[in-house]
């Protein structure tokens, strides 16, 4: 089910912090022309943790309307199992195809393999739609327990995992531990190509918001066994990906979305906008990525 | 303003996960007889991240009704500045005396001193009540930027900090960097006595839910300069405190509250209940702490 | 210069802890029949930190005698620059072709890019033979400063880097930052295949002590663009590699060398021998790896 | 046995890196007038990892000659058990009173409680002199296993522990776990006073090289139950201690030793000298500490 490129969409805000739905929809219109498999709405880089529930549902409905036959995956993970189940049901009502469920993370030392297994199974039991696990240690401070994917992969509604740690060895071990029906998506753009090499089937990559064409080109190059081209695109994609995530964060990503001719909009505090000089750096990196995709 | 012992209250749930308000109120009634300065409602160990807003307000109102002249401090920190401001206003409407505001933590690499300073100043500007900073790296994965307390201590509504890292050196440096009007509360029971030695003025300690008497006795011993007694109580309090936080988590804390003759109740999933054998261990540790307080 | 597979040789000891040179030489004889490019002597897994200087030189001379035309790379990194220079000269006198120089690591906070750059340049200046940087954070506690490889790659005697963190993204960024004359060797077997994909040119892998054939088969598969086969071998090699490094350490590696028909010998304390049950696990993993290489 | 203040002596070098024994001896002469219990020679901050064995023995003999009735404790920990035993015997021959044995740390994942217990018991069995455990996670990357001190405290030659993590809670738990005959020394100056409060009996503090008087004054204030004075001195000592360890490292410490009228000398590469501006900062911090001790 998880195949190809799915940008985890940014959520544009007006300068006063209000939701900028028109920009969100304009971005979806722009992405329609790109080689994408679908969209993740309400991912970490979509500032889901800073959105109210009504805003979240508004975004999901808008994505559904504009996505056509493409997948809409909704980020529905909340700290408690019951709240996650309740919100997943609401997301399903908007027409989302699947729920992406971040690991709970407040009580890290208690998030044992057993606790997480029960959490995901309860969410899957209560969910009308498919469930995708989501591990993002940079956000949660929680390492993914190696055996978790295999432990829940047998559930008919648990269909995959987004792995965002950047640890290709871990990703490979997970792929090797699950049946072919369970897809692992790479969530860390600097290791997208090597992750594909060890069995990732999809890319849910923040950088695809501002550079969908290079990301899709890398994926196509890999799919057609053109390893040399995939590696070349990876090399120029990496600095851009690092800049719009680890270095400059969501504000950097939104600036790059603006620079790519789309509408990133403002961030919500406590995030701060990037300094003007960052835009010059991002433009250079964007240009390099686009050139590599065309070459 | 922050002086003495304030338990960060557990939130009892029924076995089906529903809020057990009667137990919460019964606990407050029991605490009325103890030597406490007030209560923190909606702290991390109160499972605030697993509560809905209406539940939160219900708990705050109940605490206000039962607290009499004692302080009620509301945990109001949310990921976005705007949501924190909005909820702080609602908490103030319930009669809470102050807001305890956990550092935002989703985008750790972006939570610079500047971003956090602006966050706290904006929350304080928008708040009708006093604001207390809250650093809890085991939950947030975020180290407290050493200069932040001094940077915001000048704001008339920012009155203190709860420091829960257990790093006594850091706590001492913070105390030394702020005016006397800014109080630092210790949030890590295993270092309560040494934290008082370097200038902490209060203890907001999970273990005070199940052992308010030993915690208060330690504080009184320190206040009357009886260091030998304070150290003795600390030594028996530490194993209990570690058991009900790091080792067994909130489920362990709630079991200990039950064993102390109060009502801990169930946890919300994904937390799991403790194994039966843990209760025996907790009972021994509780008894030892009570004995030390009496000796 | 760094191309292909070079096992970082274990150092067999007698049960009383004395150096077992005969076993070391027997192993070299056994490796002569394998598809290897050379040997690393005195690597971390060679227990270099537990060897005296005279033992080190004895091992180097033995390796030189038995290596024929193959490369002999000597681990010569010590904490101080001057000691590293002095020992590198002695290693060169034994006929070693290159020196593998682990980052100094006692004073981690002082090991800035500048300090490390000067260290490596001074070692290279003083060395009669080629120098290879060596980063192994699990041993040193020191992350590799991203710009270091590029900063020193221009020195005519600094020819490469062994990167043992397992971070494929980092390895890829390093490869992209250096001239083609500077080789990056992968030092983490669970990511050997994806590391080759992003530009590693060699594997210096502990697991090659006990499973040289599967490691060499993976490398040949990659070199002949047979990605499917390389990935298949990687998948069975990974559990073995994890077992003989992270899980069971050098004692596990030596037990696996014994089981492979070579002579691992004893470890030096404080390392402890593995429990007997571990041997059964290792045998299974070895068999699986050999089968994959033959398939 | 471990009581009072013992500076872990810096090792002065000439600008060319050669050992500057005359400066080392001049420092000992200067310390004779201070209120110190003894000296640690070959500690981490003594750059022991950058010294040759003959240099180490020269330093120990010089310390013994100049120490009079004061304790001389020799840092003798090496990676292997056998090398540690051998060097401890040589240190004992120079007249050292005790051996300070840093935890081995190359193979961190294998340094279990059991492995470390056997290591320390073997060293103690082979040692003619008393043995003191030494935990310094910032150098070793190894957390101290909580039960280790209690596990070895029964050995007649294992008399104490230097705890340098700065974790006062851990130090307190260790003190509570061992008999009174086993002394815990604080190795982290920013928490010296609170560590004394929870039972540390000594201070082995780098900052005592440049500020022996304030450190001794803090210790005397605590010993005479003058907590207010101890805390005041701690507050001014902390910034100096942080500057000469975490911030500027051994080079900063040596610069401060110079500024205090003693002879710090040069560092050995890969350490770099401090920038000139650092000396101004250090002078201010030194003056503040001296003033606090006099007040």
């Amino acid at each position: 089910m998880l195949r190809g490129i799915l940008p985890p969409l940014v959520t544009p805000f007006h300068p006063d912090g209000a939701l900028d739905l028109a920009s969100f929809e304009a971005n979806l219109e722009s992405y329609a022309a790109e080689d994408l498999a679908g969209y993740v709405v309400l991912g970490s880089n979509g500032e889901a943790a800073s959105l109210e529930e009504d805003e979240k549902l508004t975004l999901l409905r808008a994505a559904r309307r504009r996505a056509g036959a493409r997948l809409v995956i909704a980020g529905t993970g909340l700290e408690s199992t019951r709240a996650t189940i309740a919100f997943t049901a609401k997301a399903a009502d908007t027409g989302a195809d699947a729920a992406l469920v971040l690991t709970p993370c407040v009580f890290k030392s208690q998030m044992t393999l057993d606790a997480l297994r029960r959490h995901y199974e309860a969410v899957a039991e209560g969910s009308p739609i498919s469930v995708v696990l989501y591990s993002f240690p940079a956000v949660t401070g929680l390492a993914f327990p190696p055996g978790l994917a295999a432990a829940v992969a047998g559930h008919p509604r648990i269909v995959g995992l987004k792995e965002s740690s950047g640890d290709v060895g871990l990703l490979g071990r997970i792929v090797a531990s699950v049946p072919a029906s369970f897809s692992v998506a790479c969530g860390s753009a600097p290791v997208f190509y090597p992750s594909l090499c060890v069995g990732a089937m999809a890319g849910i990559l923040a950088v695809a918001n501002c550079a969908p064409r290079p990301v899709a080109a890398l994926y196509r190059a890999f799919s057609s066994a053109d390893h040399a081209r995939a590696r070349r695109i990876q090399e120029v994609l990496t600095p851009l990906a690092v800049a719009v995530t680890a270095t400059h964060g969501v504000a950097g990503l939104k600036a790059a979305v603006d620079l790519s001719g789309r509408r990133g909009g403002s961030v919500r505090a406590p995030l701060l906008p990037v300094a003007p000089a960052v835009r010059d750096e991002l433009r250079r990196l964007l240009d390099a990525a686009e050139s590599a995709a065309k070459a």
Side-chain angles (χ1 to χ4, degrees), chain A residues 12 14 19-29 58-59 62 65-66 263:
Chain A
H14 289 290
L19 185 65
D20 180 359
L21 187 63
S23 290
F24 182 77
E25 294 183 311
N27 289 344
L28 282 161
E29 196 159 337
T58 298
L59 290 162
R65 276 195 309 272
R66 302 263 172 179
R263 301 194 197 168

Side-chain angles (χ1 to χ4, degrees), chain A residues 102-209:
Chain A
L102 186 66
T103 53
C105 63
V106 168
F107 299 108
K108 300 179 209 309
S109 65
Q110 307 300 315
M111 290 303 98
T112 58
L113 173 56
D114 191 39
L116 290 170
R117 184 181 58 73
R118 288 167 188 248
H119 175 71
Y120 280 108
E121 288 178 351
V123 170
E125 279 307 301
S127 173
I129 52 178
S130 295
V131 168
V132 178
L133 281 61
Y134 183 11
S135 172
F136 195 177
V139 157
T140 61
L142 199 72
F144 189 77
L148 180 57
V152 301
H155 194 287
R157 262 196 299 282
I158 301 183
V159 300
L161 163 72
K162 176 182 179 191
E163 211 297 301
S164 297
S165 73
D167 182 339
V168 178
L170 173 64
L171 190 146
R173 282 197 294 283
I174 293 170
V175 169
S177 75
V178 294
S181 59
F182 184 99
S183 302
V184 179
C186 172
S188 175
V191 292
F192 186 35
Y193 163 57
S195 294
L196 291 169
C197 292
V198 299
M201 305 296 290
I204 303 178
L205 305 169
V207 71
N209 279 277

